């Protein structure tokens, strides 16, 4: 069973920064599948709103993709030796307020999956609140 433990959220003023981490465990090792064989995505969900894709990183970290709303402000990265994916959030805005989750999925390539997936699949998430 895959477990995703997300941390790093908090309350920050507009313009501030946070670094989110997501440590993954429990990936099956059958057929050679490990953490490093999964693209990883960050998604977020604000109260009363749909799940929103934020960013995706390729298996080796060579390719990264961002939603227009966060491009130039957020940076995704991963450390496959630590089974961890990160999201650096800079120049935060009030509209970035949401619960953030990481997922072992390529939501950039398959955005339609967001319509059927539920945030509860991806662990407890971490709350980011941007407020003055």
């Amino acid at each position: 069973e895959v477990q995703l433990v997300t941390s790093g959220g908090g309350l920050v003023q507009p313009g501030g920064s946070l670094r989110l981490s997501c440590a993954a465990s429990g990936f099956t090792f059958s057929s050679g599948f490990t953490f490093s064989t999964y693209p990883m995505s960050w998604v977020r969900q604000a109260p009363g709103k749909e799940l929103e894709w934020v960013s995706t990183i390729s298996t080796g970290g060579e390719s990264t993709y961002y939603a227009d709303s966060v491009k130039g402000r957020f940076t995704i990265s991963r450390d496959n030796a630590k089974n961890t994916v990160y999201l650096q959030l800079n120049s935060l805005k009030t509209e970035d307020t949401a619960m953030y989750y990481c997922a072992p999925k390529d939501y950039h390539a398959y955005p339609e999956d967001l319509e059927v997936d539920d945030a509860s699949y991806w662990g407890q998430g971490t709350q980011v609140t941007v407020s003055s």
Side-chain angles (χ1 to χ4, degrees), residues 67-109:
D68 288 343
S69 58
V70 307
K71 198 173 295 181
R73 300 188 298 119
F74 291 7
T75 303
I76 190 172
S77 60
R78 66 189 296 163
D79 185 339
N80 285 341
K82 296 182 178 179
N83 285 6
T84 300
V85 62
Y86 305 95
L87 188 68
Q88 178 69 40
L89 289 64
N90 296 330
S91 303
L92 282 160
K93 304 176 181 180
T94 55
E95 52 263 43
D96 295 319
T97 295
M99 189 72 80
Y100 284 70
Y101 303 87
C102 71
K105 297 198 69 170
D106 188 346
Y107 284 123
H108 173 256

Side-chain angles (χ1 to χ4, degrees), residues 118 124-125 132:
D118 190 272
Q124 88 287 0
S132 55

Side-chain angles (χ1 to χ4, degrees), residues 16-132:
S17 297
L18 288 170
R19 189 192 193 207
L20 309 185
S21 299
C22 174
S25 63
F27 284 81
T28 61
F29 288 80
S30 61
S31 303
F33 287 102
T34 63
F35 175 81
S36 63
T37 62
Y38 287 84
M40 294 294 296
S41 293
W42 284 94
V43 296
R44 66 187 181 184
Q45 190 167 34
K49 295 191 175 181
E50 300 289 325
L51 204 57
E52 178 189 11
W53 171 68
V54 174
S55 182
T56 297
I57 188 167
S58 61
T59 54
E62 305 89 352
S63 299
T64 57
Y65 308 92
Y66 299 93
D68 288 343
S69 58
V70 307
K71 198 173 295 181
R73 300 188 298 119
F74 291 7
T75 303
I76 190 172
S77 60
R78 66 189 296 163
D79 185 339
N80 285 341
K82 296 182 178 179
N83 285 6
T84 300
V85 62
Y86 305 95
L87 188 68
Q88 178 69 40
L89 289 64
N90 296 330
S91 303
L92 282 160
K93 304 176 181 180
T94 55
E95 52 263 43
D96 295 319
T97 295
M99 189 72 80
Y100 284 70
Y101 303 87
C102 71
K105 297 198 69 170
D106 188 346
Y107 284 123
H108 173 256
Y110 303 102
E112 62 273 17
D113 286 356
L114 281 170
E115 298 179 11
V116 296
D117 287 348
D118 190 272
S120 63
Y121 297 174
W122 313 128
Q124 88 287 0
T126 189
Q127 176 68 39
V128 171
T129 302
V130 185
S131 175
S132 55

